[in-house]
Amino acid sequence: MADQYTWGLILGAVLGLVAVYNLGLLALYNLVMRNKSEDNGADSLRKTPTPALNGECPFDADVIVVGAGVAGAALANTLAKDGRRVHVIERDLSEPDRIVGELLQPGGYLKLIELGLEDCVEQIDAQRVFGYALFKDGNRTQISYPLEKFHSDVAGRGFHNGRFVQRLREKAASLPNVRLEQGTVTSLLEEKGTIKGVQYKTKAGEELTAYAPLTIVCDGCFSNLRRSLCNPKVDVPSCFVGLVLENCNLPFENHGHVVLADPSPILFYPISSNEVRCLVDIPGQKVPSISNGEMANYLKTVVAPQIPREIFHSFVAAVDGGNIKTMPNRSMPAAPYPTPGALLMGDAFNMRHPLTGGGMTVALSDIVILRNLLRHLSNLNDAPALCNYLESFYTLRKPVAFTINTLAGALYQVFSASPDEARKEMRQACFDYLSLGGIFSSGPVSLLSGLNPRPLILVLHFFAVAIYGVGRILLPFPSPYRFWIGARIITSASGIIFPIMKAEGLRQMFFPATVPAYYYQAPPSN
């Protein structure tokens, strides 16, 4: 117990220094954003009409949004409410049927409120989520979101992804300056290095072109347009196997459940009043066959014995029901090519392992930042100047994106089983650290939930877990072997987090003042 208090004192001192540093960054951010503001006094938009061409869409748009998933539909709502004329082209307007994108973290819900879209989680039987429960080797611990300072309505939300997306689409389509159209975008229209619009095929098979000063690509993780706008380095570390458990009583009501199983984690969380989503992670890109029964056998013999006893019978019944779905888990750091006239958003732009359910929070945060930047502009027609100005978007998004992306990748590696002794100790140390309660649990879960997206706090807690693990190894009787394992825990922790941090962008995150785009001014309005 004394050792825990010692670690707590050390952690508290470092947290104080980090808080002072972050206050300085916040002051710098506010100063820069004030300098970027321009009181142009123009609420109405002005756009130079594009000459009519054969096969051209007749809708005169300021922004084309490719894709109407969570990111695209929310973005269309947001820009339209600011007075933009938005043309949304979505490949399939029927209700999506997905096994991810069903848990919105509290930080993401706050962004929904900021965008005026919080009513989109109503009337879809969404369930409030107040934290997590962790299970390992028969032990369990409960971790609650630190929601004391927020309104009582603020919490996570679990829901069917398709129902949420349809609510966002309906709200966008109800706005008079939004045209929501079903069609497949086949290419971006480029002229002298500037994107002028898109070519697409309508539901009826008609080939059309649509023009706008700004095209925002939000066509999801399978994007066929991203290659011309970024350097996509997609990694597929694992696959999810999805099931729906009916009339299942979770051990901790209104909580997500994470089982630290072998070989990798298993997730449970409510998505309606009588349904629980189960996601079984399988490392690698190959999964047992569903058609020949291998998958059902794997779930019953390998997975079922590791899940909490309260869920066991519901899990087996869901396997027997046969409605089993799989999907690859992708991660992709944001590596954009700043392109005049075009921008990437959502999973087409940036992905992280879905273990922590942070994708929608990052996307909604990006939309808030983009909206705030575009609000200073009444005219989007100066594509090169607009492109330079929007480069600051990539730096301003870093606190939220870096924190959630890095935590997702790091936690997945820590929570996965490994034969390596140091990794085993790191996994146990993480479980024990979170079980301590207080700042040791509220700190990490505030990062995961998007309520406190502070990269330095993330790094601090990650290495505090490693140091805590070293302390567990060395006490009460240190030995040369234990010192060796302790050193390997530190090197293993470094090997997990530093490559993720590097891929996410160290300079933009920790030294934003050194990035020229951070200071770009809004182009003048005509």
Side-chain angles (χ1 to χ4, degrees):
M1 184 62 70
D3 293 309
Q4 294 177 13
Y5 286 122
T6 302
W7 289 119
L9 289 172
I10 295 172
L11 186 57
V14 178
L15 282 172
L17 293 174
V18 172
V20 173
Y21 176 80
N22 277 270
L23 285 173
L25 278 182
L26 180 60
L28 176 61
Y29 170 80
N30 289 332
L31 176 62
V32 172
M33 289 307 293
R34 279 199 302 271
N35 288 338
K36 284 181 177 179
S37 299
E38 289 187 11
D39 184 14
N40 49 40
D43 293 327
S44 62
L45 298 174
R46 295 178 298 277
K47 177 180 178 292
T48 303
T50 304
L53 299 174
N54 291 333
E56 181 180 335
C57 172
F59 186 72
D60 190 25
D62 299 300
V63 180
I64 294 171
V65 176
V66 181
V70 172
L75 180 63
N77 271 288
T78 302
L79 297 180
K81 285 190 291 187
D82 278 354
R84 311 281 181 190
R85 293 161 296 184
V86 184
H87 184 185
V88 186
I89 305 172
E90 162 59 34
R91 182 181 58 83
D92 184 359
L93 286 175
S94 61
E95 183 173 312
D97 184 13
R98 302 186 65 199
I99 64 172
V100 294
E102 297 180 315
L103 179 61
L104 179 67
Q105 296 289 355
Y109 182 73
L110 288 174
K111 297 301 178 184
L112 267 188
I113 294 175
E114 200 170 342
L115 295 170
L117 298 173
E118 66 274 17
D119 59 333
C120 290
V121 296
E122 298 173 2
Q123 301 175 18
I124 60 172
D125 199 16
Q127 302 298 297
R128 295 190 181 191
V129 178
F130 297 109
Y132 283 90
L134 294 183
F135 298 79
K136 185 179 186 297
D137 300 332
N139 299 314
R140 57 182 67 185
T141 187
Q142 184 178 2
I143 306 169
S144 298
Y145 293 134
L147 300 173
E148 299 82 5
K149 297 180 180 179
F150 298 95
H151 187 273
S152 60
D153 190 50
V154 177
R157 293 293 193 280
F159 44 67
H160 283 270
N161 172 270
R163 296 176 186 175
F164 179 53
V165 169
Q166 290 301 87
R167 286 280 288 158
L168 290 169
R169 290 174 178 174
E170 290 166 6
K171 188 159 186 176
S174 69
L175 298 173
N177 50 337
V178 172
R179 178 183 182 182
L180 180 58
E181 180 180 9
Q182 181 162 311
T184 301
V185 175
T186 54
S187 63
L188 301 174
L189 301 178
E190 183 180 345
E191 181 181 319
K192 298 179 181 179
T194 298
I195 303 300
K196 297 292 187 178
V198 299
Q199 183 170 2
Y200 68 104
K201 182 180 291 188
T202 67
K203 185 179 180 180
E206 185 181 4
E207 292 274 0
L208 293 179
T209 55
Y211 294 90
L214 181 61
T215 298
I216 304 179
V217 177
C218 311
D219 56 344
C221 60
F222 299 104
S223 173
N224 64 337
L225 302 175
R226 69 159 69 100
R227 288 194 175 276
S228 60
L229 301 175
C230 74
N231 179 23
K233 296 181 179 179
V234 180
D235 182 36
V236 184
S238 67
C239 296
F240 266 158
V241 179
L243 299 164
V244 174
L245 281 55
E246 297 182 350
N247 302 313
C248 171
N249 295 319
L250 292 170
F252 295 88
E253 189 177 3
N254 295 107
H255 281 66
H257 292 55
V258 183
V259 181
L260 275 61
D262 187 357
S264 50
I266 306 166
L267 307 180
F268 299 90
Y269 50 87
I271 58 173
S272 75
S273 54
N274 65 342
E275 294 171 304
V276 169
R277 169 63 70 193
C278 170
L279 294 173
V280 178
D281 186 86
I282 298 181
Q285 299 182 30
K286 289 188 64 176
V287 298
S289 171
I290 296 176
S291 58
N292 65 11
E294 288 181 5
M295 178 65 78
N297 182 64
Y298 175 86
L299 294 174
K300 287 183 177 180
T301 59
V302 177
V303 177
Q306 302 185 71
I307 66 176
R309 59 184 180 278
E310 298 94 328
I311 311 175
F312 180 85
H313 293 295
S314 296
F315 178 82
V316 173
V319 174
D320 290 336
N323 189 18
I324 304 172
K325 298 180 180 179
T326 65
M327 65 156 285
N329 293 325
R330 291 174 167 83
S331 63
M332 184 184 77
Y337 302 139
T339 305
L343 196 67
L344 278 170
M345 297 282 283
D347 283 350
F349 173 47
N350 182 206
M351 294 181 282
R352 76 292 308 148
H353 196 285
L355 172 69
T356 57
M360 289 188 290
T361 301
V362 173
L364 293 170
S365 174
D366 285 352
I367 292 169
V368 170
I369 293 169
L370 182 63
R371 177 200 65 182
N372 293 342
L373 289 171
L374 291 180
R375 271 183 171 172
H376 303 309
L377 306 175
S378 63
N379 193 311
L380 305 179
N381 286 293
D382 189 346
L386 178 64
C387 178
N388 287 337
Y389 173 60
L390 290 182
E391 282 190 47
S392 59
F393 164 77
Y394 303 118
T395 299
L396 296 174
R397 70 182 295 272
K398 278 299 176 181
V400 173
F402 182 100
T403 301
I404 292 176
N405 294 348
T406 304
L407 186 61
L411 273 185
Y412 176 70
Q413 294 188 54
V414 171
F415 281 178
S416 296
S418 172
D420 182 78
E421 191 67 27
R423 290 284 295 273
K424 286 182 181 178
E425 290 294 337
M426 185 74 177
R427 192 187 198 207
Q428 185 64 49
C430 187
F431 181 86
D432 291 345
Y433 183 89
L434 294 171
S435 301
L436 293 175
I439 193 174
F440 302 102
S441 61
S442 64
V445 81
S446 70
L447 297 166
L448 181 149
S449 63
L451 295 171
N452 182 33
R454 302 286 185 90
L456 285 177
I457 301 296
L458 165 62
V459 175
L460 176 66
H461 275 291
F462 190 80
F463 280 103
V465 170
I467 294 170
Y468 179 79
V470 173
R472 289 179 64 260
I473 288 289
L474 296 181
L475 297 177
F477 303 112
S479 68
Y481 176 73
R482 291 186 172 188
F483 272 111
W484 167 246
I485 294 296
R488 291 198 58 232
I489 290 175
I490 299 298
T491 57
S492 177
S494 301
I496 289 173
I497 197 168
F498 285 146
I500 302 173
M501 291 169 59
K502 181 181 179 182
E504 287 294 325
L506 290 171
R507 182 185 177 195
Q508 285 181 310
M509 187 59 260
F510 294 105
F511 309 102
T514 68
V515 181
Y518 194 71
Y519 300 99
Y520 284 172
Q521 301 293 306
S525 298
N526 294 329

